[in-house]
Amino acid sequence: MKIKRIILIMGFFSSVFGFGQNNNLIELTAKQDAEEGWQDLVFSITEKEILDNGFWSLTCKAKYENEIVGLKINIADEIPVGIVNEEIDNTTFTPNGAEILSIGKESDKLIEVISKLYGQPKTSEFTSEKLTFTAFPLNKEKAVLENGRFQFKLFFDENGERNLYAEIFLNPDLKNGTVELNEKDEEYRVNIVKLLSENK
């Protein structure tokens, strides 16, 4: 009987703390500026771990209209300085420096929301493919990610092999527990929706 009671109590606290975590999620569009018109997105980091390959793996979730949306972002740690004396250092482009993956139903909901925000046809499922991006650091110091907020520009399909070329900004802030995915230009909206969708 004692074991059963302990299991029930553990289950209760698990559900309470899980509910609390979801309640504390940031609003997906909390950092949007209505005047600028960009559909920038912000997520709470709900889980993080350093992988064997030196990448940080970040599970990112947010609330949107009382539903939970999310995705997983893996990004290389300690990417070198990208801006030196106000000039771009072209040697610090990092191929395969960032990855985006589905976390299941929260990601399927996310692509529906992104489609809506971007004014694109509704999509039902997030891609099951691991998407890889070239990352360029927009930073004046080495990006030791656990130290604070860093900025990167991500590039997808730079060689145009899949007709899905796109750019987007990724701003992880491990210290404060958030990740931003910000628009570079509206012209990339169609391809971003396509590359994040299961049926391209």
Side-chain angles (χ1 to χ4, degrees):
M1 282 296 291
K2 286 185 178 180
I3 293 174
K4 285 184 178 180
R5 284 187 65 189
I6 291 170
I7 291 172
L8 285 171
I9 291 169
M10 288 175 65
F12 170 76
F13 280 112
S14 175
S15 64
V16 167
F17 290 132
F19 181 75
Q21 183 188 57
N22 289 339
N23 266 1
N24 293 327
L25 295 176
I26 198 166
E27 289 286 342
L28 183 69
T29 56
K31 294 196 175 182
Q32 288 188 4
D33 187 327
E35 291 185 4
E36 291 185 357
W38 299 113
Q39 297 295 344
D40 294 337
L41 311 176
V42 61
F43 301 84
S44 300
I45 299 172
T46 59
E47 295 179 39
K48 61 183 179 182
E49 64 174 323
I50 191 77
L51 304 178
D52 291 340
N53 63 358
F55 278 53
W56 277 98
S57 180
L58 310 173
T59 301
C60 307
K61 296 184 180 182
K63 290 188 294 186
Y64 183 81
E65 295 183 348
N66 297 317
E67 294 198 72
I68 298 171
V69 299
L71 74 173
K72 180 169 285 189
I73 296 173
N74 298 336
I75 182 166
D77 197 21
E78 299 190 8
I79 293 178
V81 173
I83 308 294
V84 180
N85 297 324
E86 307 304 323
E87 297 288 334
I88 291 174
D89 183 350
N90 288 316
T91 67
T92 53
F93 283 86
T94 305
N96 305 318
E99 303 168 342
I100 288 180
L101 305 90
S102 172
I103 58 170
K105 63 181 182 180
E106 293 97 340
S107 297
D108 292 340
K109 184 61 186 175
L110 177 63
I111 188 59
E112 286 186 25
V113 172
I114 291 175
S115 299
K116 173 184 173 182
L117 294 174
Y118 282 10
Q120 300 301 312
K122 183 178 178 180
T123 302
S124 60
E125 291 184 348
F126 198 93
T127 182
S128 56
E129 175 187 357
K130 179 170 72 175
L131 302 169
T132 59
F133 298 77
T134 293
F136 178 76
L138 300 167
N139 308 300
K140 297 180 180 180
E141 60 181 290
K142 181 190 286 188
V144 180
L145 296 179
E146 62 185 336
N147 287 348
R149 184 178 186 272
F150 294 90
Q151 297 175 287
F152 303 88
K153 185 193 283 188
L154 303 186
F155 302 84
F156 188 82
D157 191 27
E158 302 101 297
N159 298 321
E161 296 170 353
R162 301 173 62 175
N163 293 318
L164 288 174
Y165 178 75
E167 300 176 16
I168 195 166
F169 293 114
L170 170 65
N171 306 328
D173 186 347
L174 271 64
K175 184 172 285 188
N176 291 306
T178 62
V179 169
E180 298 168 6
L181 277 177
N182 295 340
E183 279 198 277
K184 168 63 171 64
D185 199 295
E186 289 185 20
E187 69 177 286
Y188 300 121
R189 287 182 176 181
V190 172
N191 281 358
I192 287 172
V193 169
K194 284 183 179 177
L195 69 91
L196 293 176
S197 301
E198 183 64 59
N199 299 313
K200 296 182 173 60

